[in-house]
């Protein structure tokens, strides 16, 4: 379970959310407003319950590296012709635009 700790500093109060990620590692994030800290705490707990949690460093993975892993995993359940077709489209249409971007910066 996550917790919010109020800290009074020189610039006024701040609120620190302490939580554990699904692997059990302790994480924290600081906010200026309590309402923002509370919203973040609830969103983290909700994403952990649904199995959709992505850690703070998860968005820093490059799209090209992530895509290579996904394509490799998908290849296990596809025919060779489908793999070749998907790889061609991906290589010519998707990678030129997104290959060097971080996953956290890619939006719908």
């Amino acid at each position: 379970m996550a917790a919010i700790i109020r800290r009074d500093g020189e610039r006024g109060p701040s609120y620190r959310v302490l939580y554990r990620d699904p692997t059990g590692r302790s994480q924290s994030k600081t906010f200026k407003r309590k309402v923002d800290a509370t919203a973040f705490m609830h969103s983290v707990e909700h994403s952990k319950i649904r199995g959709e949690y992505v850690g703070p460093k998860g968005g820093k993975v490059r799209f090209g590296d992530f895509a290579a892993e996904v394509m490799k995993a998908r290849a296990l359940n596809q025919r060779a012709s489908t793999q070749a077709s998907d790889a061609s489209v991906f290589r010519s249409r998707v990678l030129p635009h997104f290959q060097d971007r971080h996953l956290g910066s890619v939006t719908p």
Side-chain angles (χ1 to χ4, degrees), residues 26 30 38 49 57 93 95 104 106:
S26 182
T30 305
T38 304
I49 290 169
K57 294 181 183 176
R93 306 235 180 225
L95 285 182
V106 178

Side-chain angles (χ1 to χ4, degrees), residues 19-23 27 29 40 43-61 66 102-105:
Y19 62 99
R20 293 199 180 272
D21 64 16
T23 63
Q27 304 283 341
K29 188 167 181 175
F40 176 77
S43 70
V44 166
E45 291 300 318
H46 181 72
S47 65
K48 284 180 0 184
I49 290 169
R50 294 191 59 161
E52 300 170 348
Y53 177 81
V54 177
K57 294 181 183 176
K60 295 180 182 174
V61 173
F66 177 75
H102 295 288
L103 279 180
S105 70

Side-chain angles (χ1 to χ4, degrees), residues 2 4 15-17 31 33-45:
I4 298 176
Y15 300 90
R16 187 174 193 184
V17 178
F31 298 89
R33 298 181 331 152
K34 186 175 183 179
V35 67
D36 296 333
T38 304
F40 176 77
M41 180 182 70
H42 290 303
S43 70
V44 166
E45 291 300 318

